[in-house]
Each structure stands twice: as C-alpha cells, then as structure tokens.
C-alpha cells in the first residue's frame, strides 16, 4: 500500500473491546514492550501461567546450539494431561469438549470426562501393543472424534504422531511411514465426503505394499462405514479390539518440554516432503496463547475450525488449542458444499457457533455459490450467535474479506486474518480482535512477542513501504525444532547462510504499510505454491509428472486463480510427438489422474500445456519466470533471444 492510498479501517466495536482478553492497543503495546525488554522473562512468565508442568522448568531459552533452539528444556509435562485431566480437575468434566457432525448430518457429543476415558483406553491399548515413548505412529483417518482421540492417545504415552491428510495417496502414506520409521498406523476403513465414501485402509495396504515400510508392526483400523477392508493376520487389528477390556485410567508419560509431540510433513521446494518436528512445551504454550488472545476464547464460546486434522491448522486449532483451554468445539467430517452450499451457515445456525475459522478458498467458493443460487446465501440463515471470524491458509483478497465481514458477520464480528505456517506452530502475524483496527487483505501486526520484520537478500532490514523477505529475528517457543532426520536441510531451509544463520526465513514475501506498519503477505518466494491454503512443492508435482512413462520433462508454476488463490500450471514435454486436439485432451486427463494417484487429488494440475521442449537459459536452467508469464497469459516482456526454439512460446501459450 502506498502512502497516498486511502485505506479503510474497520474498528472492533466498543462492546467487543471491553470484554476482550487483550483489550485496547495500550494492552497490546504493553505485552510487546515486556517482550522487547526481557524476552526470555516474558515467555517464561506466560509458560508458567498457561501451561501445567509436572516438573517446573528452570531454563528458558537455550541458544547454545543455534539454530537448534531449546525452550523450557528441563521442565516436564504431558500435552494430553494439559488438554484433558487439568480441565476435569478444574471442574469441567461434564462440559462438552467436542460436538461432531458427520457428512450425512449425524451429531455426536463428548464431554471432557468421556473424552479422557476414550483417550485413556486407546492409550492403554497402544501400550499393550508395545508402542512407547519416542515411537512414531502415522494417523490416516477421517475427520471425527476418533481422529482427535488417536492424536491425544499418542501424546498421552509420549509416542510421536504424524498425521497424513485423508486426501493424500497411498504413495504419500508410504513415503511418510518410511521417512518417520513409523511402528504403527491408525486408520479408518473409509471416510465420507460430499455423499461419497473414500477408502483409507486400502490405501494404507497399497502404500505398505510399495515397500520401505518394514518398521510397521501394527495397523489399527477404526470401523467408520463397514466398507470392504482386508485385514492382515498378525498385523491388522480393529480399533474396538484394541480398546476392549482396557482401563479408562491411563497415567500420562511425563516428557521433557523438548520431546517431539508430532511430525507433520509439508511440501518443500525439493521433491522430498519435509518432516517438520515440533516440541511439546513450547508448541502447547503458543496453542493456548493464540486461542486466548487471537480468538478471545471465553468459557461459553462454541468454536469451529473447519480445517482437517491432516494439516497443522487442525493440530493447533482442533486437537490441542481448544482442548487445552477447556473450550467446546465443533469437528466436521464433510465439505462446505454438501448437500448444498449453505452447509456451513446451517451448522452455525443449528449449533449456535460463536467463533468461526475457515480458509479464503472456502469463502470464495461460497460467494460464487451464493451468487449462483441466492437460497444458500449466508444472509438467509440466523448467524447472530457469531461474534468472531477468522481466516487461515493464504492471504484473503479484500473483496472476499468484505463479503465475509458483511454477509457472514453482519458487520459486527472482527475478522482475524492469521498468518502462520506448519513450521511456526501457531499464529505469527494477526489482528487481536479487541485491539487492532482491521484492513481488508492485511494480517496487520505481529502476535505479542513475535519479532517479525522484512529484509532484503542480504538480511538488511527494509524501511516500511518496501517489499522484501519476511523473517523472524528471534526464536520463539512454538517454532519448528528440526526436519526429521535432516538437520542440514533444516538449517538451509530456515536459517540460511545469507543471513549468517541468524534469521528465520518464512519463505514468503511481504510489505509493511508505510503509515501503520501493517504486514501484507505478497506470496511465496520459493518454488512452493499455495493452492487453497495447501502448500504444494513444484518439484514434488514435477517429479510425479516425470514418473509417468510418456513424460520426458516437466516444469510446474503457479498462476493466479479467483477461487483457489493459486492454480497449478504444468508445462510438459512428452517422449513422443506433441499431442494436439483430442489426443492432447486425453493426455491431460491421464497426467492429472497420474498426479492424483502419486500425491493426491489436491496436487492435480489445473492446466497442462505441451511443448516440443521447455524454455531454458544457456546454462540449461528452465526459465520459470517466463513460464509464469505464459501461465498468466501475459505478454512476454523479457528477452527471449537466447531461446533455441522461439516457436515453443506459442506452443506453451496453449494456443
């Protein structure tokens, strides 16, 4: 935003400010000042106030082996105890913890007491299977109470969970089992989405059959639909048989604050997914703080985050954050457009949801649906229970923000547009609803204690108004600790030598408003695309395309898309002749399906264009900038005189 651009600010209402946990800009500034004067003292105070410790910590931040930072290292705790037992001890045993709604509208409810009993029985069942502290367990399940139970049960016994999103393919499951060295998989026979059943257990079997999964001893299967399910004797066991006869009391495994709570694999700019490793103590602290401060969670709130537990948003704002704060939350199995595009609004109306957290892609698809069919517009539903809205996963465009604010929130609900990543554990830059004047499209100011800034390629801080690289200048408790089994990649990815290993590189470009200092995210700086809020590495998609026997070479770039934010566009050179007409259409479908099988449906390229070769520099580097221009349909402004075959530009334009 330039200095002379007029900016419209949206203020939180006086009533909201009055009741907010962090109330008014002075309160925000006081927290930021406390953090800047005594950084470790600030985080230590918060960790003592908001997390329950078995053994209190005496060390706060250990920087001796930077960038492998440690927080609260000599303290011990258990994440599941913090989410369940301490709430029951505080008298919340009969409070609703989770209300779940299935794809076809069935509703189930569990209290904190009931949830603890379920978690304990499964945890005891896992222990009986020989699963112990430090073992890795892959979870590949439908959205429902059991997915949360599986994650909490792992945390209870100190096993490290790695959840794989139910939309990923057998190959993706295999790769994660293999990299993590998992000893067990917890899965579901099938999941239900949009009125269809999608097999999960068969995908696990297929993944294991691909080889490299020799560490797997046990596969636990929850019966969701009763769909066809082959059980391998000696390895596979039904969930009900695992918990049969188990006590509903399970002593938590008290682990060190730095003990890994989970691994979550994310796409990087190379083909190999990165196992992002999170700690227990620091991660939990940030999950709690952001629930209390960003979402302003109160005891009588009904919170709904629409993410899947397969993504970090579902970890922090379904499995751990709401429960660690003693909140009540909705867990939803289905999709926003089934049975029609009024599903979200109907659920908010029926369940009286007060805090709603979803992705810009979902918002844009629901705007489109309301325009097409006014009957499913949010204004036809009673959404008066809402008091706060949030967005996550990608920047929200101002027009979608305004619709969300007016048509969903009735112009009375603050919107928290949260910027964060799998690697950061929780919100990094976000409005606080009782503090921040909002600007559509801007994630505004850093969360108190987070030292975010914008630098150039040398690591020099830039003036406000100048775009550059988003970095965090100090370690924070919830940050990524390592890439599983790959410390060098961790350092190169997040603490590059260009910045002397001192700054955390987020991988996003950003600019700060010249007057307010508000941050606006301008997009990825590496070869990672953000499609519907899901990060997809271009290399990963290229590798999947090239694994097709007919493909010689492929390059993948992103182009802007009104619905998904970014769309995947692939430029492909086949081993045979360049296909045209019907042959091209057939080949496009074949390649899209192939990528869907290799990675998962979300990675399917929206556009595939064929050329006799790809544009390269003299040194043989693919000219990706040029491909981006072609994907967008822009006039190619750069010098193409070095191209061996200028005719391919026309081919790759898709003409």
């Amino acid at each position: 935003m330039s200095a002379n651009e007029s900016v419209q600010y949206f203020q939180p209402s006086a009533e909201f400010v009055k009741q907010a946990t962090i109330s008014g800009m002075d309160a925000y500034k006081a927290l930021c000042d406390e953090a800047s004067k005594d950084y470790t003292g600030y985080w230590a105070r918060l960790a003592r106030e908001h997390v329950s410790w078995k053994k209190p910590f005496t060390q706060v931040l250990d920087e001796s082996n930077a960038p492998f930072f440690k927080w609260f290292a000599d303290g011990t705790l258990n994440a599941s105890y913090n989410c369940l037992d301490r709430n029951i001890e505080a008298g919340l045993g009969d409070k609703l913890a989770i209300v779940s709604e299935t794809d076809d509208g069935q509703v189930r409810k569990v209290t904190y007491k009931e949830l603890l009993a379920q978690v304990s029985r499964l945890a005891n069942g896992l222990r009986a299977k020989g699963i112990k502290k430090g073992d890795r367990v892959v979870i590949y399940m439908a959205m429902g109470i059991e997915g949360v139970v599986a994650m909490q049960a792992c945390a209870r016994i100190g096993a490290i969970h790695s959840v794989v999103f139910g939309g990923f393919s057998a190959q993706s499951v295999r790769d994660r089992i293999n990299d993590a060295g998992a000893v067990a998989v917890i899965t579901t026979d099938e999941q239900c989405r949009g009125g269809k059943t999608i097999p999960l257990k068969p995908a696990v079997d297929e993944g294991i059959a691909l080889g490299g999964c020799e560490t797997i001893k046990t596969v636990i299967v929850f019966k969701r639909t009763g769909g066809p399910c082959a059980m391998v004797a000696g390895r596979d066991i039904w969930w009900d048989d695992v918990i049969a006869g188990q006590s509903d009391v399970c002593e938590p495994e008290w682990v060190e604050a730095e003990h890994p709570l989970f691994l979550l694999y994310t796409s990087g700019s190379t083909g190999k997914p990165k196992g992002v490793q999170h700690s227990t103590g620091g991660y939990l602290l940030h999950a709690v703080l952001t629930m209390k401060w960003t979402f302003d969670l109160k005891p009588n709130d009904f919170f709904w985050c629409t993410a899947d537990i397969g993504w970090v948003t579902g970890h922090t704002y379904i499995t751990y954050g709401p429960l660690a704060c003693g909140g009540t939350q909705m867990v939803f199995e289905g999709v926003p457009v089934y049975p029609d595009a009024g599903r979200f609004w109907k659920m908010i109306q029926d369940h009286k949801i007060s805090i709603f957290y979803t992705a810009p892609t979902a918002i844009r698809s629901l705007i489109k649906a309301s325009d097409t069919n006014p009957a499913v517009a949010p204004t036809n539903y009673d959404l008066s229970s809402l008091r706060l809205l949030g967005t996550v996963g990608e920047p929200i465009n101002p027009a979608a923000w305004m619709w969300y604010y007016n048509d969903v929130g009735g112009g009375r609900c603050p919107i928290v547009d949260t910027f964060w990543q799998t690697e950061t554990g929780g919100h990094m830059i976000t409005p606080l609803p009782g503090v921040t004047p909002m600007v559509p499209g801007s994630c505004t100011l850093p969360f108190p204690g987070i030292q975010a800034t914008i630098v150039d390629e040398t690591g020099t801080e830039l003036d406000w108004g100048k775009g550059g690289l988003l970095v965090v200048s100090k370690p924070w408790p919830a940050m990524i600790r390592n890439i599983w089994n790959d410390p060098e990649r961790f350092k190169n990815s997040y603490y590059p030598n260009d910045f002397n290993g001192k700054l955390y590189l987020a991988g996003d470009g950003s600019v700060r408003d010249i007057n307010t200092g508000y941050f606006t995210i301008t997009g990825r700086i590496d070869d990672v695309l953000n499609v519907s809020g899901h990060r997809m590495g271009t290399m990963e998609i290229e590798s999947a395309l090239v694994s097709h026997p007919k493909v010689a070479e492929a390059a993948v770039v992103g182009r802007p898309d009104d619905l998904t934010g970014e769309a995947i566009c692939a430029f492909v050179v086949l081993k045979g002749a360049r296909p045209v007409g019907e042959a091209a259409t057939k080949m496009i479908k074949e390649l899209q399906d192939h990528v869907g099988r290799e990675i998962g449906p979300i990675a399917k390229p929206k556009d595939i264009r064929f050329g006799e070769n790809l544009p390269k520099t003299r040194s043989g580097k693919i000219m990706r900038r040029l491909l981006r221009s072609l994907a967008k349909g822009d006039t190619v402004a750069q010098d193409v005189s070095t191209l061996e075959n200028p005719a391919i530009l026309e081919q790759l334009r898709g003409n």
Side-chain angles (χ1 to χ4, degrees), residues 211-521:
C213 301
E214 287 71 24
T215 50
I216 291 288
K217 307 277 190 297
T218 309
V219 176
I220 296 167
V221 188
F222 176 73
K223 193 177 282 187
R224 164 69 185 89
T225 63
C229 196
M231 299 291 279
V232 175
R235 184 195 76 184
D236 300 355
I237 178 167
W238 292 105
W239 173 291
D240 286 352
D241 293 336
V242 172
I243 61 174
Q246 294 295 346
S247 163
D248 56 11
V249 176
C250 174
E251 177 65 16
E253 182 77 37
W254 302 105
V255 301
E256 317 74 53
E258 281 297 318
H259 177 72
L261 178 61
F262 63 87
L263 308 177
L264 188 53
Y265 284 80
T266 178
S267 284
S269 49
T270 70
K272 186 174 183 273
K274 297 183 284 200
V276 170
Q277 178 182 324
H278 272 290
S279 72
T280 302
Y283 169 81
L284 199 64
L285 169 64
H286 206 65
V288 169
L289 286 178
T290 48
M291 281 303 305
K292 290 179 178 176
W293 295 0
T294 310
F295 293 123
D296 191 49
L297 189 76
K298 300 286 196 290
N300 55 352
D301 273 314
F302 196 162
F303 177 81
W304 182 17
C305 163
T306 67
D308 190 284
I309 54 169
W311 308 113
V312 74
T313 304
H315 283 54
T316 309
Y317 300 112
I318 296 177
T319 300
Y320 292 109
L323 297 175
C325 295
T328 299
Q329 64 170 326
M330 168 60 64
V331 170
F332 174 49
E333 178 179 54
V335 293
V337 292
Y338 177 80
D340 60 42
R343 180 71 183 267
F344 275 3
W345 320 132
K346 186 173 182 316
M347 285 177 64
I348 292 170
Q349 171 181 280
D350 292 354
H351 296 283
K352 305 279 186 282
I353 301 293
S354 58
I355 304 171
F356 181 63
Y357 192 39
T358 196
T361 296
I363 295 166
R364 288 192 293 267
S365 73
L366 296 170
I367 294 174
K368 200 170 163 187
S370 313
D371 289 348
T372 317
N373 174 12
V376 297
T379 44
N380 292 325
Y381 296 81
D382 177 5
L383 306 182
S384 57
S385 58
L386 287 172
R387 66 180 198 92
L388 179 64
L389 300 171
T391 70
V392 60
E394 57 191 307
I396 183 166
N397 47 308
W401 191 101
M402 288 301 307
W403 182 87
Y404 196 35
Y405 184 75
N406 289 319
D407 288 38
V408 179
R412 63 177 196 282
C413 301
I415 296 178
V416 290
D417 170 0
T418 61
F419 167 81
W420 61 297
Q421 303 170 304
T422 304
E423 294 87 346
T424 69
H427 305 151
M428 299 297 280
I429 307 174
T430 174
L432 296 187
V435 169
T436 322
M438 295 160 286
V439 171
S442 168
C443 49
T444 69
L445 294 170
F447 190 81
I450 300 298
Q451 313 293 317
T453 184
I454 295 170
V455 298
D456 65 12
E457 280 77 3
T458 65
T460 308
E461 194 166 341
L462 293 169
D463 294 336
W464 290 5
K466 288 189 176 155
L469 310 174
L470 179 63
V471 296
V472 186
S473 59
K474 283 188 174 170
W476 67 101
M479 67 187 295
I480 175 175
R481 293 305 197 262
N482 206 342
I483 289 173
W484 185 254
N485 282 335
D486 203 343
E488 277 313 301
R489 190 175 178 195
F490 166 77
K491 283 195 292 198
N492 297 336
S493 301
Y494 304 109
Y495 282 90
N497 287 333
D498 301 355
F499 304 153
N500 302 317
K502 298 277 189 239
L503 300 172
Y504 168 87
L505 178 66
D508 284 281
S510 184
V511 62
R512 296 190 77 170
D513 182 78
I514 199 158
N515 298 314
T516 59
Y518 280 13
F519 287 79
T520 296
I521 305 297

Side-chain angles (χ1 to χ4, degrees), residues 172 186 223:
S172 297
I186 306 178
K223 193 177 282 187

Side-chain angles (χ1 to χ4, degrees), residues 609-620:
R609 303 179 192 179
F610 299 105
E612 285 160 14
N613 45 41
L614 294 176
K616 292 180 182 173
T617 63
R618 287 194 172 142
S619 62

